[in-house]
Amino acid sequence: MEPSATTGMDKPAGKKAPLMGVEEAIALVTADASALGVEQVAVALADGRVLAQDLPARRTQPPADMSAMDGYAVRGADIAQTPARLAVIGESAAGRPFAGAVGPNEAVRIFTGAVVPEGADTVVIQENTSRDGEIITTTAPTAALRNVRKKGCDFTAGTPGLMAGRRLTGRDIMLAAAMDHATLPVARRPRVALLQTGDELVLPGQGTGLDSEIVVSNAFGLAALARRAGADVTDLGLVRDDLAAIRAVVAQALSGAFDLVVSSGGASVGDHDLMGPALRAEGVELFVHKIALRPGKPLMFGSKSGVRVLGLPGNPVSSHVCAMVFLVPLLRALQGDSAPGPVTAPARLAVDVPANDVRRDFMRARMDRHADGTVHVTPCASQDSAMLSVLAAADCLLIRPPFAPAAKAGDPCEIIPFDD
Ligand code: AMP
Ligand code: MG
């Protein structure tokens, strides 16, 4: 988190600092971020957690050659000609294997998931046989080795099945369970404290109806994003635009109970924007940057004694977009996630868009999936950084790179789909 000589950080007041590129800012925020620790969790609770160590299979799957169908286990050579007549000598069911071996012109009745008996290498499905007492006759050809899942074709004991740094899906935890892991080593959750400042802010349902009041919204979106990104979130509530009050809450947040403090509001340079001064007064080594992004304002980032601090803008849409761009990748990096994002996807413009300026634009937009599978994106009519009705109606952010020329409907573009 040390400033580099080239980033233009902490310019003397009065000098216009150059805008920092979004990629450079993400690199600054996520620099040195790695997993905070490892804990074991029950495999059933590991969905969404980040695997902390490579996970080897503890068993081989299938543990033996197994039947993929209901039918008869035979020797492939015996059924090269149709019809073939074979003597049924026993049965192999799932969990109840046949004890003997299959000899020439013999068959064992077998069911899906049952061990293929010694001697047999092929399963003839029951639909391709007719049975008369203990004799079966094949009624259609079956290629040798068909309908048998070979021992170890899925995974073998000792081979890594999932790698460290993977954010586990439901499918991954199925595999982990099948590999015989009752618990999984995962990165511990980053502990995040949220605080919001503003004399105008009131909690939902607790205002008096004054026109000067604003019902607070930011922490609800920030908490949702942070929890989805794997964090344990504590909302420290509202703080007045008062240096002593903000300092008191900041001191509490920095006391060691949290890994990351996320503030919203009070981040600009107005007389009532006291978050920066309060953080500095509490000993946070803080870098303030004007980031070349829209919507957004100066981003504050710093740390004190290993506790990181991220200061987001107060405008609700700005706070949310900046959290998607900076907070979510930081939280993922703090769990050792090998792909912390932001995760983008290719799409096409549904409408013409004008040339962009110096800022990377994250436009609220809606996706439309065409029959050919392509996603066509329309920016919302208003891009006001305070309009929550627009943010809620959007389902993705359309990224317009700095200095992108005017583009036409149908041109390729990049989006960040909302995943909630
Ligand atoms: P600030 O960054 O404090 O200058 O705030 C910028 C704008 O965002 C102001 O209009 C605030 O009322 C609004 N705002 C600040 N914090 C919040 C919040 N937690 N929830 C909703 N709006 C906020
Ligand atoms: Mg304010």
Side-chain angles (χ1 to χ4, degrees), residues 196-197 200-201 214-218 264-268 273 297 313-316:
Q196 317 175 80
T197 67
E200 73 283 28
L201 300 179
I214 293 292
V215 182
V216 42
S217 54
N218 293 358
S264 85
S268 344
D273 291 317
K297 269 189 182 174
N315 266 316

Side-chain angles (χ1 to χ4, degrees), residues 38-98:
V38 182
E39 63 187 13
Q40 294 285 331
V41 296
V43 64
L45 301 178
D47 179 29
R49 304 297 295 271
V50 179
L51 195 62
Q53 291 151 13
D54 293 352
L55 202 68
R58 299 181 64 235
R59 291 189 174 218
T60 293
Q61 176 72 11
D65 290 0
M66 296 249 170
S67 181
M69 303 295 270
D70 294 329
Y72 292 89
V74 302
R75 300 158 76 104
D78 291 348
I79 55 156
Q81 309 294 328
T82 304
R85 278 168 55 84
L86 306 164
V88 179
I89 59 164
E91 180 180 296
S92 183
R96 284 184 282 117
F98 177 68

Side-chain angles (χ1 to χ4, degrees), residues 7 9 19-31 289-293 299 301 310 325-326 329-330:
T7 50
M9 289 182 281
L19 291 178
M20 179 187 270
V22 171
E23 260 110 25
E24 193 184 350
I26 293 172
L28 175 81
V29 169
T30 57
H289 293 277
K290 263 202 156 23
I291 312 294
L293 114 168
L299 181 84
F301 184 67
L310 184 63
V325 174
F326 300 108
L330 173 59

